[in-house]
């Protein structure tokens, strides 16, 4: 079992009121989900790469949907792990808690997290190619019709995930607003830090005084802005860390 943990980290989590968690592919990988972006990711191989951009998607929409349908099937088999469960428990214990994730698998919601900001979208959401305001959830697996049709206007759907070369969706604004209102502790879990947005977010909250804890299997592109880097699997580190935080009693939290 990992730990004991740095006193400064445990005290920061005990005294925190507003906590921002940021999760990346590492936490999903521990549930057996293939990585999309990054080395060895599903979007790095031949077929996945062909559909990882808007141009690729539009070139062969039906083929793209066949690939996404297969990914939805693989991801649909996965279950949340103890790291997801711990983050859901933390949300219940803090007065203000936001979970920003780069993952598109929906496992945080499946684990019971309520305020989940999915900055890269969700594999089980779709949006209309004709009107981006038409967005809906569809968990049908396998899909009956490729490409799926918009329930509002009948237009063709695309997956509501952020592809390479695309900007973030409207969700990212919610993350920025939460960060701007002040954060006591930022907990960065299993993200490579390779993408610009998350790094900017973590840098901004740290400059504003947040204590930054990173949990990762290896140092990442964000480790240089972390006050504490805990090396290990999130599914082992987070439950142990949370136990140690709670053993001493929370100060400002409600748990
Ligand atoms: Zn539509």
């Amino acid at each position: 079992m990992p730990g004991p943990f740095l006193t400064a980290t445990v005290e920061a989590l005990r005294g925190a009121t507003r906590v921002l968690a940021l999760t990346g592919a590492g936490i999903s990988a521990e549930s057996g989900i293939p990585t999309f972006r990054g080395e060895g990711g599903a979007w790095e191989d031949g077929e996945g790469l062909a559909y990882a951009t808007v141009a690729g998607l539009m070139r062969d929409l039906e083929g793209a949907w066949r690939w996404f349908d297969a990914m939805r099937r693989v991801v649909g088999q996965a279950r949340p792990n103890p790291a997801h469960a711990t983050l859901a428990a933390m949300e219940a214990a803090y007065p203000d808690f936001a979970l920003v994730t780069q993952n598109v698998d929906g496992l945080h919601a499946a684990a019971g997290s309520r305020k989940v900001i999915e900055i890269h979208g969700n594999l089980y959401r779709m949006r209309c190619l004709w009107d981006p305001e038409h967005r809906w959830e569809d968990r049908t697996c396998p899909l009956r019709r490729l490409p799926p049709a918009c329930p509002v206007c009948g237009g063709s759907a695309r997956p509501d995930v952020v592809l390479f070369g695309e900007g973030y969706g409207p969700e990212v604004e919610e993350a920025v607003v939460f960060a701007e209102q002040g954060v006591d502790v930022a907990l960065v879990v299993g993200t490579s830090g390779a993408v610009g947005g998350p790094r900017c977010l973590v840098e901004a909250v740290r400059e504003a005084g947040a204590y930054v804890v990173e949990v990762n299997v290896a140092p990442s592109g964000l480790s240089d802005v972390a006050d504490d880097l805990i090396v290990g699997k999130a599914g082992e580190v987070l439950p142990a860390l949370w136990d140690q935080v709670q053993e001493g009693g929370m100060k400002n939290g409600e748990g």
Side-chain angles (χ1 to χ4, degrees):
M1 189 159 142
F5 300 96
L6 215 60
T7 306
T9 297
V10 173
E11 288 302 317
L13 282 165
R14 267 184 201 147
T17 303
R18 286 175 63 82
V19 175
L20 173 73
L22 172 68
T23 69
I27 192 168
S28 295
E30 290 178 31
S31 283
I33 289 178
T35 306
F36 281 82
R37 293 161 187 258
E39 207 177 315
W43 277 347
E44 299 297 304
D45 76 7
E47 202 190 358
L49 186 60
Y51 303 127
T53 61
V54 179
L57 190 80
M58 298 313 286
R59 204 176 296 129
D60 178 11
L61 190 57
E62 197 183 320
W65 268 112
R66 262 197 304 277
W67 187 82
F68 275 100
D69 196 30
M71 290 309 295
R72 284 159 56 100
R73 234 173 296 177
V74 171
V75 170
Q77 312 275 322
R79 293 292 167 263
N81 64 59
H84 294 103
T86 302
L87 288 166
M90 290 175 83
E91 178 177 28
Y94 288 107
D96 286 302
F97 187 93
L99 175 52
V100 178
T101 186
Q102 298 171 277
N103 301 330
V104 295
D105 48 53
L107 285 186
H108 285 298
S113 285
R114 296 152 70 96
K115 189 181 173 73
V116 184
I117 304 170
E118 297 173 312
I119 57 172
H120 285 166
N122 187 305
L123 270 183
Y124 301 97
R125 276 206 323 261
M126 302 180 182
R127 71 174 192 262
C128 182
L129 278 170
W130 299 107
D131 186 341
E133 297 293 312
H134 299 165
R135 300 166 94 197
W136 65 98
E137 187 182 301
D138 186 339
R139 304 196 68 90
T140 313
C141 205
L143 289 162
R144 288 188 201 97
R145 181 188 147 167
L146 302 178
C150 171
V152 180
C153 73
S156 290
R158 59 159 283 176
D160 196 11
V161 297
V162 175
L163 300 171
F164 283 129
E166 287 191 294
Y168 290 109
E171 294 82 4
V172 78
E173 191 57 32
E174 213 183 322
V176 170
V177 167
F178 186 88
E180 280 174 348
Q181 286 168 352
V183 169
D184 301 314
V185 176
L187 189 56
V188 184
V189 184
T191 170
S192 67
V195 193
R199 191 186 166 88
C200 290
L201 197 65
V202 173
E203 275 178 343
V205 296
R206 183 156 192 257
E207 270 167 36
Y211 185 89
V212 179
V213 185
E214 182 185 20
V215 178
N216 220 330
V217 288
S220 76
L222 276 168
S223 302
D224 59 316
V225 289
D227 293 283
D228 183 12
L229 166 65
I230 305 172
V231 176
K233 290 172 82 171
E236 293 168 4
V237 169
L238 283 183
L241 175 61
W242 188 230
D243 276 352
Q244 199 181 322
V245 168
Q246 287 184 305
E247 270 164 24
M250 305 278 286
K251 283 173 189 156
N252 296 330
E254 288 161 354

